[in-house]
Amino acid sequence: MALYSEKVMDHFRNPRNTGVIENADGVGEVGNAKCGDIMKIYLKVEEDIIVDAKFETFGCGSAIASSSMATELIKGKPVSEALALTNQAVVEALDGLPPHKVHCSVLAEEAIRKALQDYYGKRDAKDICE
Ligand code: FES
């Protein structure tokens, strides 16, 4: 049996949503101290819906596939649903990851959560200023 599913290979070879969103409403960057890989997620939010999500990942193939799938999973979804996204859901959507690569999907969950924290922080700051 192949180590990686076809979906993992597809999202690794043809990652969706790579790049930067200028003036993003939320940005989250996380790193894995052990392997040194870094993932950055950018979100555009309108009326609490994630209208766009992009990523920059400097890391392994599983981290790239996880970022690609995670951004696909949250695009068009309410912020509350994106907040509830788990790395397990990302792994399932990729038809699995080898056990020693599951931690790579955790970066996607953490980066999205951090980007949403940033979004909430900016939104609340805007509310106070207006
Ligand atoms: Fe570092 Fe995959 S080995 S995130």
Side-chain angles (χ1 to χ4, degrees):
M1 203 183 106
L3 188 58
Y4 292 104
S5 72
E6 274 177 35
K7 273 197 192 162
V8 171
M9 293 310 293
D10 178 33
H11 279 264
F12 167 58
R13 290 198 182 114
N14 309 295
R16 282 57 147 190
N17 311 313
T18 54
V20 174
I21 298 178
E22 299 297 338
N23 299 318
D25 297 305
V27 180
E29 182 175 328
V30 292
N32 181 312
K34 276 195 193 143
C35 62
D37 292 348
I38 294 171
M39 190 183 292
K40 198 166 180 180
I41 300 261
Y42 301 84
L43 302 176
K44 195 85 201 154
V45 183
E46 282 171 20
E47 295 180 5
D48 270 354
I49 302 288
I50 297 179
V51 293
D52 201 8
K54 290 199 182 299
F55 75 91
E56 292 178 303
T57 293
F58 304 97
C60 72
S62 299
I64 290 168
S66 295
S67 338
S68 172
M69 181 56 87
T71 48
E72 284 287 271
L73 289 173
I74 61 169
K75 265 169 74 170
K77 299 276 166 56
V79 167
S80 55
E81 262 184 58
L83 254 185
L85 183 80
T86 61
N87 80 297
Q88 202 48 45
V90 175
V91 172
E92 277 167 25
L94 287 170
D95 290 339
L97 279 173
H100 68 288
K101 285 289 179 181
V102 168
H103 75 274
C104 313
S105 65
V106 174
L107 279 184
E109 177 188 319
E110 289 177 351
I112 288 173
R113 213 156 278 170
K114 215 160 174 193
L116 288 169
Q117 279 171 4
D118 184 44
Y119 160 68
Y120 280 123
K122 284 179 178 158
R123 192 193 62 176
D124 292 349
K126 216 165 123 197
D127 285 350
I128 292 166
C129 294
E130 280 171 359

